[in-house]
């Protein structure tokens, strides 16, 4: 029989020092995962595709200039040695003649 532990680590923030204020709790599974990563890697490791995307307001501005709706995200940077680079994803580029070259995967 397996038992799942649902205990939490809890703290209360109170400027006056009284037991009244804002309570914070972290599930024990999260604490265990984070502590193990800190011990193993010296930091918390978060999954990442390795891309930086344009903010929505930038995309909307480009849509207005093009008078066309853009679907998806606008990739502005692909980090070196990232899963995105390995998959062939390319960043959007602004050419010297003012045209925008949308990033397209080099793989099919």
């Amino acid at each position: 029989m397996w038992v799942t532990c649902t205990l939490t680590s809890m703290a209360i923030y109170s400027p006056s020092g009284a037991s009244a204020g804002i309570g914070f709790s972290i599930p024990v599974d999260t604490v265990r995962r984070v502590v193990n990563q800190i011990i193993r890697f010296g930091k918390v490791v978060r999954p990442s595709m390795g891309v930086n995307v344009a903010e929505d307001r930038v995309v909307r501005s480009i849509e207005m200039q093009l008078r066309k709706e853009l679907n998806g995200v606008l990739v502005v940077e692909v980090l070196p040695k990232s899963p995105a680079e390995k998959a062939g994803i390319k960043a959007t580029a602004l050419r010297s003649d003012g045209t925008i070259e949308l990033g397209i995967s080099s793989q099919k």
Side-chain angles (χ1 to χ4, degrees), residues 16-91:
S16 66
S19 294
I22 301 171
F24 300 94
S25 66
I26 303 170
V28 71
D29 291 340
T30 302
V31 172
R32 186 178 300 125
R33 180 178 45 81
V34 168
V35 168
N36 286 338
Q37 288 180 5
I38 291 171
I39 291 169
R40 185 171 177 191
F41 304 110
K43 62 182 181 179
V44 177
V45 179
R46 304 240 186 255
S48 171
M49 284 180 49
V51 296
N52 289 321
V53 297
E55 294 180 16
D56 285 340
R57 65 180 178 80
V58 173
V59 175
R60 300 301 159 247
S61 174
I62 293 170
E63 285 178 336
M64 288 175 60
Q65 292 173 18
L66 296 174
R67 294 188 180 113
K68 188 174 184 179
E69 182 180 353
L70 298 175
N71 294 316
V73 297
L74 192 61
V75 176
V76 294
E77 181 184 21
V78 177
L79 302 177
K81 300 179 184 175
S82 67
E85 183 185 58
K86 290 175 186 169
I89 295 174
K90 304 290 182 194

